[in-house]
Amino acid sequence: MKQVMFSLGMLALLVAGGATRLLESQVPASRAPEIASITLPNLATSVRFAVIGDTGTGAAGQTQLAEVMAARHEVFPFELVLLVGDNLYGGEAAADYEKKFARPYKKLLDAGVVFYASLGNHDKSNQRFYEKFNMGGKEYYSFKKGTVRFFALNSNYMDPRQVSWLEGELKGSGSDWKICFFHHPTYSSGKQHGSDTELRKVVEPLFVKYGVDVVFNGHEHFYERIKPQQDIHYFITGGGGKLRPAGLKTSNLTGKSFDQDLHFMLVEIAGDVMHFQVISRSGKTVDSGALPRREVKTTP
Amino acid sequence: MPACSSRVYGLSLAQWQGMQSKRDNHVARVRSIMRPIGYCFAAGIIVWFVPDSSIATTTIHAQALTEAHTTALKPFEERLKQYIKVRREAQRKLPKLSSESQPAEIAAHARGLQANIMTARASAKPGEIFTTEVAGHIRSLIKDEFTGARLKALREDVLGSDVKGVPIRVNVLYPEAKELIEMPPTLLLKLPLLPKELTYRFVGRYLLLVDKEAMLIVDYMPSALP
């Protein structure tokens, strides 16, 4: 009897073990999103950066997207991030800088990634003094990385002083690539805001005259790659913290659009080609491509 | 003048002198025509090589503002200067911010500046900078610039923005949580240029003067948006 009971017990253990292994094999090993692989050349000699906009909520979505960015940074070590405005929504006390910026992007900041901010309509001028926004105490500024000169503009208040500064900077820049980033898009298919034609009248002639290659904007809470306008490539990347689903209307401006999830953009400038990849919060690639450098045609 | 002789190249002296006189008159006439042409040509050469700055800060306003507006807005400039003087005195008492400041320093500086300016301007009243006459001229500048579809678009943007709760009073804070609506660049090219410490901002149909570091409402005018 004892032997029978022992045998039954051993059999029960064997059956239980087998059942457990069977069940385990059917449960996913991890629930983390599968992040799209990098489609960019990823050369050490390139200028590599990310672009995000309308981030400053301090909410879970912003942090989740920041995690995906940090994961991609391990494979594609971009050295800087362009912020296209609305960096802090609501108040701007010390705790807000921590909650809406420093904490979500801590991994990237700790890895030495440098953020360069521009101001949105929800941002106050005093952000220009914040060390980690690298604005040099100015509402508009420019800086150079490799063959690229970046121009951060304050589209909230494009007064004659700034316009004059911009013209001088563009004219004096001998860089191969000229990239402008600011909050309000001059071209947009957004239902809420749409193209900022008043701003376009003032800045576009300068962009065309002095050979700007690419413009990054935010303000609209979605992604849109605009078809080239007078040989200039425009991107709206305003889904870094806030989202406006179904925020686009059908337009002949659109090259590609995405308004179903938060996103960020990775960019690599390798020689005369700009490669880009747009990745959503769920880790999927929503757009990618390669754009040649615009040849400068000096306006007589 | 040839040596005195009764004949020069077969011509009598009188004939010679007549020819010289005609020649001198001709040369003088040609010079009177060519000199200004030459000056213009020289100026053109100089301008050709001068850097083309199609948009220069002061040039834009010189072109945009008529003489009447410029004269009428002189008092506006004077009152702005007075405000800046008060502001600089208020700021002098505070530690300076750098481009590497921490959030706590930025917030403390803003609070200190607000308090100092509010104390110095405790008796400020609406219309001290946007006087009746100045406000009238600014209204006409805005009305001239924005008409038709452009005005409709501007009204939609301004009246649809998140500024509910912004107090329309002088020497009070512009709420930090409220947005600062984009000012149309085409309008900023036409309005009087402000000192860099100040900005124009629409709130509803009001036009405010806002100190952008202190986030204080310095003055306002009604019915600015047509």
Side-chain angles (χ1 to χ4, degrees), chain B residues 19-63:
Chain B
M19 279 179 65
Q20 290 288 81
S21 177
K22 274 185 191 171
R23 191 202 70 167
D24 290 344
N25 287 342
H26 176 71
V27 167
R29 201 161 41 243
V30 169
R31 278 183 182 160
S32 71
I33 294 168
M34 291 305 295
R35 192 171 284 136
I37 292 173
Y39 289 151
C40 289
F41 183 71
I45 294 290
I46 291 166
V47 166
W48 180 263
F49 286 107
V50 166
D52 174 23
S53 179
S54 55
I55 301 174
T57 308
T58 51
T59 303
I60 274 190
H61 286 88
Q63 290 169 348

Side-chain angles (χ1 to χ4, degrees), chain B residues 64-75:
Chain B
L65 292 172
T66 63
E67 201 176 310
H69 281 308
T70 308
T71 307
L73 292 165
K74 272 280 180 215

Side-chain angles (χ1 to χ4, degrees), chain A residues 92 121 124 126 128-129 131 136-137 139 155-157 160-161 163-164 167 171 184 196 198 201 209, chain B residues 52 54-55 57 61 97-99 101-103 150 176 178-180 182-183 186 194 199-200 212-213:
Chain A
E92 294 192 4
N121 52 300
K124 305 305 176 289
N126 286 338
R128 72 192 195 275
F129 296 115
E131 178 192 35
E139 291 183 350
S155 57
N156 293 308
Y157 207 79
R161 238 181 237 116
V163 174
S164 181
E167 181 165 24
K171 194 174 176 187
H184 297 84
D196 191 333
E198 296 298 320
K201 281 177 195 165
K209 184 174 181 182
Chain B
D52 174 23
S54 55
I55 301 174
T57 308
H61 286 88
L97 285 175
S98 77
S99 60
S101 295
Q102 299 306 312
R150 288 179 68 216
E176 198 173 63
K178 293 296 171 186
E179 69 170 298
L180 291 161
E182 178 200 0
M183 283 298 290
T186 43
L194 294 174
T199 58
Y200 296 107
K212 63 184 183 186
E213 266 182 51

